Amino acid sequence: MKLESLISECTAYDFKLMLEEKKPKSWLKSVSAFANGLGGSLFFGIDNDGVVRGVDDVQHICETISSKIRDYMDPVPEVELIPHRIEDYNVLQLKVNAGNYTPYYYVGDGQRIAFVRIGDESIPVTAEQMVRLVLKGSNKTFDSLHTDYKAEDFSFAILANAFKRRAQQEWNKKYLLSFGLVTNTGVLTNAGALFADDSPLWQSRLYCTRWDGKTKGDAINDSEFTGNVLLLLREAMNFVKSNTKRGWEKLPDGRKNKPEYAERAVLEAMVNHFIHRDYTVMGGEVHLDIYDDRLTLTSPGGMYNGMLIQDLDIANVSSERRNPILANVMAQLDYMEKRGSGLTRICNETMALEGYKDELKPVFKSTPSQFQTTIFASADISNVGDNVGDVSEMKLTERQLKMLDLIKESPTISGRKMSEILSVSQRTVERDISLLKKMGVIKREGNDVNGIWLILI
C-alpha cells in the first residue's frame, strides 16, 4: 500500500505523528471540521512532512480514539478506523464521514466549539458559518425560513408581470403559496421577501462599477441597487448594456450587430450569482465589475458543497442549490434551467460569438467565502474605438442623453456648466463624459479651454 493512493481517496486529510491522548482537542478539531464539511481522514503515524514513521499498539490507539470521540464530540460523528501497512510501518487512518446533523462540536476544557476546514487548517466557525451549519443540520435552507413579515403588507407586481411575460401565463396569487414564497399562516418566507416589490431584506444588494482600463482604478460609472431580486437582475443587465460596446459588420444589404458579450451568457451568470449567493452574509452583496476587456461577477458564498469550482469539470458539476426556492421560481420564469447546466451554457453562449478564441473562455473561481465568474469581451469588438454604433442602439442613461443635447446646442460647453444645468456634481459629469468617449459617442477636439465637443454618432 502506498501513501499516495490513500490520500488521493480523501477530500481532505491531516497527518499526525502520534495520538495525543492528553490533548484531544489537537486532533478532534479536525474531526469536527471534517464532519461539518465534506469529510476527511486523519493518518496517525505520519509526520507533517508526509514521512511515514509508524505507530505502536494500534489496538490501544483505536480504543482511545473511540473513547475520546464519545466523550468530547457532540453529536458523535460517523467514523471508521482503518489500519494500513505502509513501508513496513503500521499507520492508522481515522476516516470521518460528512455529517448530516451539523454542527458537530468539540466539547471540553469548558468549551463548546465547532470547527470548519479552510484550506489545510481546521479553524473555529464564524457566526455566519454557524448559521449555515445549523440550517444544514436541520435540513432547512435560508430561503425557506419564515420571516415576521405579513404577506398582506407586500405586493408582488414585479413578479406577476415577469411571470406573465416570460411564462406566458396569467399570474395567480395562489402561486405565492405553491412556490414557497408565503406560508400557510400568511407570512413571507425569506424567498418571498426577496421577490416582494419592496423587499425588506437589505442584504439583497448589487454594486455595479465600470472601471477605466483593465484594472480597478478610476471609475467611469457606478451604481448601487437594493431590493427585489428581479429588479436587481434587470438593473444589472441594463448596466452591462449601458457600459459595453456594440459593433457591427458591414454587409451588402445592411449590417450585422456584433455585441461585445453574449447577452444570454451574461444573463445566465447574473442569475447564478443572485440565486446561489449566500444571503446569510449580512454585509455581503453581488458585485458587477466591467473592465475594458472583461466583466466580473462576485458574490458571497462559495460552492454549496464546499468544493472549489476551479478543481472541477464544470460539465459534471452537480446542481446542489443553496436556495432551492429561489432557483425554482427562476426556473418557472425561464431565467435558468432546472437541470443545473448554467456554467456550461455561459461557456457555450460565449463560444458562439464571432472572434471567439480559447483564451476567451469564461473563468469560474471559488473560495470558501465567495464565487466569481469572469466573462471576456469578444476579440472582434474589444478594440473598437470610434463609430461603434448609433445612439438609438445604445442604452444611454437619461442624463447622458441630456448631456448630448447640451453639446448639440453648445459644442463649447464646459463640464462645470453641464453639472450646473443638470444639478449633479462635476465628478458625475466627468464620469459620463469619459464613458461617452470610450463608447465612441463623443470626442474632444482642441484643448480643454478653447476646444469643442464633437458628436460622432
Side-chain angles (χ1 to χ4, degrees):
M1 174 66 69
K2 292 185 177 180
L3 177 61
E4 291 77 10
S5 62
L6 279 180
I7 62 177
S8 65
E9 299 173 359
C10 303
T11 302
Y13 57 87
D14 270 345
F15 294 145
K16 299 292 181 181
L17 181 59
M18 57 182 291
L19 177 68
E20 296 187 74
E21 296 185 37
K22 295 184 179 181
K23 296 181 179 180
K25 183 181 177 182
S26 65
W27 53 275
L28 282 175
K29 65 181 182 180
S30 293
V31 175
S32 168
F34 292 150
N36 285 326
L38 299 176
S41 290
L42 289 89
F43 292 94
F44 293 93
I46 303 175
D47 66 21
N48 289 334
D49 296 323
V51 178
V52 178
R53 303 294 187 184
V55 292
D56 299 322
D57 199 350
V58 172
Q59 182 63 36
H60 171 72
I61 294 176
C62 288
E63 292 172 355
T64 302
I65 288 175
S66 298
S67 174
K68 298 295 184 184
I69 288 178
R70 287 195 303 269
D71 293 343
Y72 291 96
M73 293 295 301
D74 182 31
V76 176
E78 183 179 337
V79 303
E80 298 176 64
L81 291 166
I82 309 169
H84 299 283
R85 189 71 176 173
I86 303 177
E87 301 173 8
D88 297 326
Y89 292 101
N90 291 320
V91 170
L92 181 64
Q93 177 185 5
L94 169 57
K95 183 179 179 181
V96 184
N97 295 327
N100 296 318
Y101 305 102
T102 58
Y104 289 84
Y105 295 94
Y106 165 78
V107 184
D109 311 317
Q111 300 176 312
R112 183 180 179 86
I113 308 174
F115 293 83
V116 291
R117 198 73 174 174
I118 302 295
D120 59 356
E121 292 185 280
S122 298
I123 63 175
V125 300
T126 63
E128 292 170 351
Q129 290 168 332
M130 179 61 74
V131 171
R132 293 177 217 140
L133 290 175
V134 171
L135 288 174
K136 177 184 175 184
S138 58
N139 198 28
K140 295 179 180 179
T141 58
F142 172 84
D143 60 349
S144 70
L145 296 180
H146 299 184
T147 71
D148 295 327
Y149 303 112
K150 295 181 179 179
E152 63 187 28
D153 295 333
F154 292 86
S155 60
F156 293 86
I158 296 174
L159 174 60
N161 291 334
F163 186 82
K164 184 175 181 179
R165 185 178 69 256
R166 297 187 63 86
Q168 306 277 312
Q169 298 180 45
E170 289 297 325
W171 173 257
N172 191 310
K173 284 187 177 181
K174 68 181 183 181
Y175 293 147
L176 293 175
L177 181 61
S178 61
F179 286 167
L181 305 182
V182 173
T183 71
N184 289 318
T185 58
V187 300
L188 299 180
T189 61
N190 278 328
L194 287 168
F195 280 108
D197 291 341
D198 296 314
S199 173
L201 300 186
W202 66 272
Q203 72 265 41
S204 180
R205 295 182 294 178
L206 168 69
Y207 287 4
C208 304
T209 309
R210 172 59 167 97
W211 299 99
D212 187 7
K214 297 182 180 181
T215 58
K216 290 184 177 181
D218 293 330
I220 297 174
N221 195 13
D222 59 79
S223 297
E224 298 179 14
F225 306 97
T226 304
N228 178 288
V229 68
L230 293 174
L231 175 65
L232 297 188
L233 179 60
R234 184 178 69 196
E235 294 296 346
M237 293 303 295
N238 285 339
F239 190 87
V240 172
K241 292 176 182 178
S242 299
N243 291 275
T244 55
K245 303 169 185 175
R246 291 181 64 89
W248 71 76
E249 177 184 356
K250 291 183 179 179
L251 301 174
D253 56 348
R255 69 186 185 189
K256 178 172 65 175
N257 286 331
K258 301 174 71 174
E260 191 171 5
Y261 298 94
E263 182 174 353
R264 185 67 205 199
V266 176
L267 177 63
E268 195 76 36
M270 297 288 187
V271 171
N272 278 343
H273 280 268
F274 285 126
I275 296 308
H276 298 303
R277 64 154 290 186
D278 189 345
Y279 285 93
T280 66
V281 181
M282 300 303 293
E285 58 275 325
V286 176
H287 284 258
L288 166 62
D289 295 291
I290 302 178
Y291 304 88
D292 285 356
D293 62 340
R294 69 195 188 280
L295 65 80
T296 299
L297 281 161
T298 309
S299 56
M303 294 281 286
Y304 186 50
N305 60 14
M307 303 184 75
L308 302 180
I309 188 63
Q310 57 268 29
D311 295 339
L312 305 174
D313 178 1
I314 63 170
N316 298 316
V317 173
S318 62
S319 58
E320 296 178 67
R321 293 170 173 175
R322 178 179 276 113
N323 301 299
I325 297 177
L326 292 183
N328 178 60
V329 175
M330 282 299 193
Q332 297 291 340
L333 296 174
D334 195 32
Y335 275 120
M336 66 181 296
E337 297 185 27
K338 294 182 179 179
R339 63 176 181 268
S341 57
L343 302 187
T344 300
R345 186 165 189 175
I346 293 170
C347 292
N348 291 341
E349 294 287 344
T350 300
M351 291 169 61
L353 282 178
E354 290 188 39
Y356 174 80
K357 300 177 181 178
D358 288 342
E359 57 264 31
L360 300 178
K361 183 178 181 180
V363 174
F364 307 100
K365 183 178 180 181
S366 68
T367 68
S369 60
Q370 71 175 27
F371 193 98
Q372 187 175 84
T373 299
T374 299
I375 305 177
F376 296 94
S378 167
D380 278 359
I381 197 68
S382 59
N383 294 318
V384 171
D386 294 341
N387 302 321
V388 294
D390 59 55
V391 172
S392 65
E393 291 180 329
M394 295 181 179
K395 300 293 184 180
L396 300 183
T397 66
E398 183 178 351
R399 184 178 64 244
Q400 291 164 352
L401 291 172
K402 289 180 179 179
M403 290 173 61
L404 292 180
D405 289 337
L406 292 175
I407 290 173
K408 288 178 184 177
E409 295 173 4
S410 177
T412 60
I413 191 171
S414 66
R416 176 177 296 180
K417 185 64 176 177
M418 281 192 276
S419 71
E420 293 174 358
I421 295 173
L422 299 174
S423 299
V424 296
S425 68
Q426 190 169 344
R427 176 59 180 157
T428 297
V429 170
E430 290 172 353
R431 285 201 301 265
D432 279 342
I433 287 175
S434 180
L435 178 60
L436 291 170
K437 288 166 69 177
K438 278 190 169 292
M439 295 172 71
V441 177
I442 63 174
K443 76 173 183 178
R444 184 75 174 178
E445 190 171 90
N447 59 39
D448 292 340
V449 178
N450 301 317
I452 64 172
W453 292 108
L454 297 179
I455 296 179
L456 304 174
I457 301 173

